[in-house]
């Protein structure tokens, strides 16, 4: 690969079998990388200690190999980098940009519902009303020392102040590249570290895209709003912002997003029913 060539990535979460939506994203990333004279890396986003299973990681490798996709070594497994995420989180905490939140989901729902307009974040979750933001730091420290379950939230107002200038990123498609304004405030005080692991999807993805020197992120439109938050985290952490392309989603016959929980057919099901990798490519509109 020539120096400065584009680097893309496919980053599945091993929480279930891959379906046609994953195949579309994987094939599109591979085709774009080839067209641009770059490469596509693979990253296993297995930070969820309950849902991510080793046999599902093996199944991802098998499904991708069946599709004819190969990736440069080493493949990055997020579960092996918790210390790095913890250090990144600690940096934000140390700068007063993150605070511990001891609220349960039920408390957040109830408090958010009591607010005018019952605001929600772009994923449809109740917007966090900021309950723990003003917690006396000494009391917070005591509750942490007691081992009380908690998440870490980004103090959005403080983060935006720290970020300074307005945020934007370059979105690209086959025809053009354009600047898009990012509006992370619509996420409110987002969770950047979960109860069970010292990180979150948002923190790990930003950390790893930089670590893997990703120049072009190609992923589904369902993650388009999350990009606003990612751009903010990149600014705070002094990391480069890649270019983004958010592709359309493959929907099931009812027009809903494919999901295992909705009984969508996995690639393994399709393979067992006799489909070939060429059938999958053709069905997804690839030449
Ligand atoms: N791991 C995420 C998923 O499987 C994708 C993350 C990303 O592409 O940024 O939905």
């Amino acid at each position: 690969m020539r120096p400065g060539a584009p680097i893309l990535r496919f980053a599945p979460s091993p929480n279930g079998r891959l379906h046609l939506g994953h195949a579309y994203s994987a094939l599109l990333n591979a085709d774009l990388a080839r067209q641009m004279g770059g490469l596509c890396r693979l990253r296993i986003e297995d930070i969820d200690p309950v849902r991510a299973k080793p046999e599902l990681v093996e199944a991802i490798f098998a499904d991708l190999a069946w599709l004819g996709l190969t990736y440069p070594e080493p493949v990055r497994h997020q579960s092996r980098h918790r210390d790095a995420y913890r250090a990144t989180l600690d940096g934000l905490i140390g700068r007063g940009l993150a605070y511990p939140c001891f609220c349960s989901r039920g408390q957040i729902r109830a408090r958010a519902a009591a607010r005018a307009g019952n605001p929600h974040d772009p994923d449809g979750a109740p917007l966090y009303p900021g309950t723990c933001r003003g917690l006396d730091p000494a009391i917070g420290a005591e509750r942490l020392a007691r081992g009380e379950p908690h998440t870490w939230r980004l103090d959005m107002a403080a983060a935006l102040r720290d970020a300074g200038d307005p945020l934007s990123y370059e979105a690209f498609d086959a025809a053009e590249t354009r600047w898009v304004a990012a509006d992370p405030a619509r996420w409110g005080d987002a969770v950047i570290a979960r109860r069970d692991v010292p990180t979150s999807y948002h923190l790990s993805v930003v950390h790893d895209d930089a670590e893997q020197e990703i120049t072009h992120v190609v992923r589904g439109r369902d993650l388009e709003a999350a990009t606003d938050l990612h751009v903010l985290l990149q600014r705070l952490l002094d990391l480069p912002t890649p270019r983004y392309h958010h592709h359309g989603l493959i929907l099931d016959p009812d027009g809903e997003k494919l999901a295992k929980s909705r009984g969508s057919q996995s690639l393994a099901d399709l393979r067992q029913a006799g489909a070939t990798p060429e059938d999958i490519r053709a069905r997804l509109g690839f030449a």
Side-chain angles (χ1 to χ4, degrees):
M1 195 184 66
R2 66 190 155 79
I7 304 180
L8 289 76
R9 77 331 186 250
F10 177 56
S13 305
N15 301 338
R17 295 301 303 254
L18 298 189
H19 51 58
L20 280 175
H22 296 108
Y24 180 77
S25 207
L27 289 167
L28 182 62
N29 268 287
D31 278 13
L32 287 174
R34 196 169 41 244
Q35 284 162 24
M36 295 194 287
L39 59 81
C40 178
R41 297 196 203 280
L42 179 62
R43 180 164 78 228
I44 302 296
E45 301 212 320
D46 55 352
I47 58 164
D48 189 319
V50 179
R51 289 171 71 214
K53 302 221 163 53
E55 58 272 26
L56 290 169
V57 176
E58 289 308 315
I60 287 176
F61 294 148
D63 287 340
L64 293 173
W66 178 69
L67 283 174
L69 297 172
T70 55
Y71 297 89
E73 292 289 341
V75 170
R76 189 174 176 91
H77 295 250
Q78 291 191 325
S79 56
R80 299 177 190 166
H81 298 278
R82 285 195 187 168
D83 291 350
Y85 307 138
R86 176 82 237 184
T88 306
L89 173 67
D90 285 342
L92 293 170
I93 297 169
R95 288 159 61 194
L97 299 177
Y99 62 86
C101 170
F102 302 94
C103 299
S104 68
R105 280 210 180 85
Q107 285 169 333
I108 295 171
R109 217 178 306 116
R111 289 187 182 130
R115 289 169 83 196
N118 186 11
H120 284 66
D121 73 17
D123 275 351
L127 203 65
Y128 183 63
T131 320
C132 289
R133 192 191 311 122
L135 200 65
D136 180 330
I139 293 177
E142 204 178 289
R143 293 174 75 171
L144 289 176
R146 270 208 306 269
E148 229 182 279
H150 61 281
T151 60
W152 286 92
R153 290 185 179 273
L154 192 66
D155 182 333
M156 183 55 74
L160 289 173
R161 271 195 307 277
D162 193 289
D165 296 336
L167 296 155
S168 59
Y169 63 91
E170 278 182 278
F172 72 100
D173 60 26
E176 55 164 13
T177 297
R178 66 196 167 88
W179 284 95
V180 177
D183 175 21
R186 58 191 170 137
W187 288 97
D189 288 358
V191 171
I192 53 168
R194 302 157 38 134
R195 245 180 216 92
D196 48 359
V197 278
T199 189
S200 61
Y201 160 64
H202 301 302
L203 196 64
S204 302
V205 87
V206 160
H207 178 278
D208 286 358
D209 282 340
E211 193 68 30
Q212 294 190 288
E213 301 181 316
I214 304 304
T215 60
H216 293 70
V217 171
V218 175
R219 61 185 176 193
R221 205 163 279 157
D222 52 339
L223 292 170
E224 190 163 14
T227 300
D228 291 8
L229 193 51
H230 299 175
V231 172
L232 171 60
L233 289 169
Q234 286 152 0
R235 172 80 64 83
L236 296 175
L237 298 168
D238 204 15
L239 300 174
T241 291
R243 291 182 176 179
Y244 287 89
H245 173 71
H246 299 103
H247 61 71
L249 300 178
I250 305 298
L251 303 176
D252 70 13
D254 305 329
E256 298 284 340
K257 206 178 128 180
L258 295 178
K260 179 139 184 83
S261 53
R262 295 179 36 84
S264 302
Q265 278 190 312
S266 67
L267 291 179
D269 295 335
L270 294 165
R271 179 165 68 227
Q272 241 167 21
T276 65
E278 293 70 36
D279 296 334
I280 304 289
R281 283 189 78 95
R283 186 162 161 185
L284 293 171
F286 291 92

